[in-house]
Amino acid sequence: MFLIVIVILKALFFNLSESSLKTLQNATTYDLGDHTIVSSSNVFPYVAAILNKSQYLCAGALIDESWVLTAADSVFLFRDSLRLIHVRLGSINNKNGGRLLPIKLIEFHPYFDDQKPEFDVALIQLAKRVRLTQNLNPIRLQRKPKQVMATHFIVTAWPAQHTSSAELYKVASVQGVERRRTLQVAHLHPTKPEQCAEVLEELGFLKTNIMCLDQSLGIDPCSRDVGAPVVLNGILWGVVSSWAPEDCDLLPGPTFVTLASAPNVSSWIHATMRGVTWHTWTIFDTDYEDYDDDD
Ligand SMILES: *[C@@H]1O[C@H](CO)[C@@H](O)[C@H](O)[C@H]1NC(C)=O
Ligand SMILES: *[C@@H]1O[C@H](CO)[C@@H](O)[C@H](O)[C@H]1NC(C)=O
């Protein structure tokens, strides 16, 4: 515990460039439970903080000038009180900086079920198109289902409130509050495909819609980086679902990522962004650039 605090403080006091951030991550991956503080807004310019008034709810990803993709579960309670929801973009601090924007609407995936991670996606439309800058820029979506070959994915979110990991920050008291407001990055390993398939099978969840990531070490096994963009080589694969097993404190299990490329998800995203009514038979021409480079 003490060691972890020292590493956190160390991470805090060095102002990290992108490359030194990577070095530090490699060096401290395990001590930090894989989570490292982010120090510059332009490294993850697509990350969105979704707020209830000013209170952090979850993360999301800007996918064009007016739309943010996030987890449905975390904003579902607000479907009749959209005025409460604001989105902060272009800042690593969820209380400060960048642009704080009101929203126009939230579209929930029509198959969303709060007992399941399969369609745990929502699209938030900003009240106005946002002006893009170096620190505020959308990320492209992985559009086609693809086998997971990578060794790690980049997951960015703000620390969940009221978890035992929040207790940890209290220990590092001076910077504690500031730290809780600061974006964190984790490099999470995908769970072995057979193991992921087995877990999904057991739970009865659609294998096509979910990717499993191994849980971070040293992080509350029941907390999830809800809505966190899951990225590989600058492409958004999906967002972290809030779903966790009921006995997660005993049997943590993997973190589930709802895939943007999943059948019935990808076409829904594109229909919604174009203002078109979505049906399961909606198919979009691939009149877009193919992003399938994965090296
Ligand atoms: C939203 O914030 C208000 C306080 O500003 C709080 O009373 C309410 O419980 C919050 N809603 C949710 C669902 O977190
Ligand atoms: C998409 O939705 C349709 C209608 O519910 C369903 O029949 C089909 O199996 C779904 N496809 C997948 C792969 O989830």
Side-chain angles (χ1 to χ4, degrees):
M1 178 65 116
F2 186 59
L3 185 74
I4 295 171
V5 172
I6 290 178
V7 175
I8 289 171
L9 291 173
K10 242 168 75 186
L12 203 62
F13 290 125
F14 289 108
N15 203 8
L16 305 167
S17 68
E18 190 177 355
S19 61
S20 64
L21 181 72
K22 283 192 187 120
T23 316
L24 186 92
Q25 271 161 14
N26 292 339
T28 60
T29 292
Y30 296 102
D31 309 53
L32 260 180
D34 293 345
H35 282 61
T36 307
I37 291 273
V38 175
S39 61
S40 163
S41 297
N42 60 21
V43 187
F44 306 107
Y46 53 84
V47 179
I50 295 152
L51 311 171
N52 166 16
K53 288 191 177 159
S54 62
Q55 186 184 40
Y56 176 70
L57 285 174
C58 62
L62 186 69
I63 55 173
D64 81 354
E65 289 146 314
S66 6
W67 292 95
V68 171
L69 184 70
T70 186
D73 194 42
S74 59
V75 283
F76 198 65
L77 284 174
F78 296 91
R79 62 196 179 284
D80 298 320
S81 43
L82 300 184
R83 281 176 306 104
L84 293 176
I85 299 286
H86 287 82
V87 175
R88 190 181 296 281
L89 293 165
S91 177
I92 54 175
N93 184 323
N94 67 32
K95 284 268 197 271
N96 228 308
R99 303 279 313 278
L100 180 64
L101 304 162
I103 68 166
K104 187 193 269 177
L105 64 92
I106 306 179
E107 292 281 354
F108 297 91
H109 196 289
Y111 295 170
F112 167 61
D113 170 343
D114 64 4
Q115 305 300 311
K116 297 178 175 182
E118 304 161 328
F119 295 100
D120 191 2
V121 282
L123 279 166
I124 298 180
Q125 186 178 25
L126 304 172
K128 278 195 245 165
R129 291 163 82 87
V130 67
R131 199 166 52 84
L132 305 181
T133 67
Q134 201 186 4
N135 293 340
L136 196 171
N137 230 283
I139 187 162
R140 297 181 306 181
L141 292 162
Q142 175 66 34
R143 302 192 187 229
K144 292 193 227 151
K146 194 170 171 186
Q147 225 184 330
V148 178
M149 307 283 273
T151 56
H152 66 249
F153 284 80
I154 294 174
V155 181
T156 39
W158 285 267
Q161 312 289 316
H162 319 299
T163 62
S164 60
S165 51
E167 295 301 310
L168 176 65
Y169 307 128
K170 274 189 208 143
V171 181
S173 58
V174 185
Q175 258 75 20
V177 174
E178 203 52 33
R179 228 193 96 85
R180 243 190 332 267
R181 295 173 180 173
T182 308
L183 185 66
Q184 296 190 357
V185 58
H187 285 185
L188 298 186
H189 302 274
T191 307
K192 288 197 188 73
E194 321 81 70
Q195 205 177 327
C196 178
E198 197 178 309
V199 173
L200 295 174
E201 179 104 48
E202 216 165 280
L203 293 163
F205 297 152
L206 290 170
K207 288 181 209 158
T208 49
N209 285 42
I210 295 162
M211 172 168 78
C212 306
L213 296 177
D214 288 345
Q215 276 265 16
S216 286
L217 298 168
I219 295 287
D220 178 341
C222 293
S223 84
R224 294 288 182 268
D225 288 335
V226 182
V230 176
V231 170
L232 179 64
N233 298 325
I235 303 293
L236 181 68
W237 275 55
V239 290
V240 171
S241 169
S242 59
W243 197 93
E246 256 164 45
D247 53 356
C248 48
D249 45 346
L250 300 171
L251 290 165
T255 291
F256 291 141
V257 179
T258 310
L259 293 169
S261 61
N264 292 340
V265 173
S266 173
S267 62
W268 171 77
I269 291 174
H270 295 110
T272 305
M273 288 170 72
R274 293 178 195 197
V276 177
T277 308
W278 175 76
H279 303 283
T280 53
W281 59 87
T282 308
I283 293 172
F284 286 102
D285 285 338
T286 46
D287 58 348
Y288 41 76
E289 203 187 322
D290 201 347
Y291 307 134
D292 256 356
D293 46 328
D294 70 325
D295 27 44

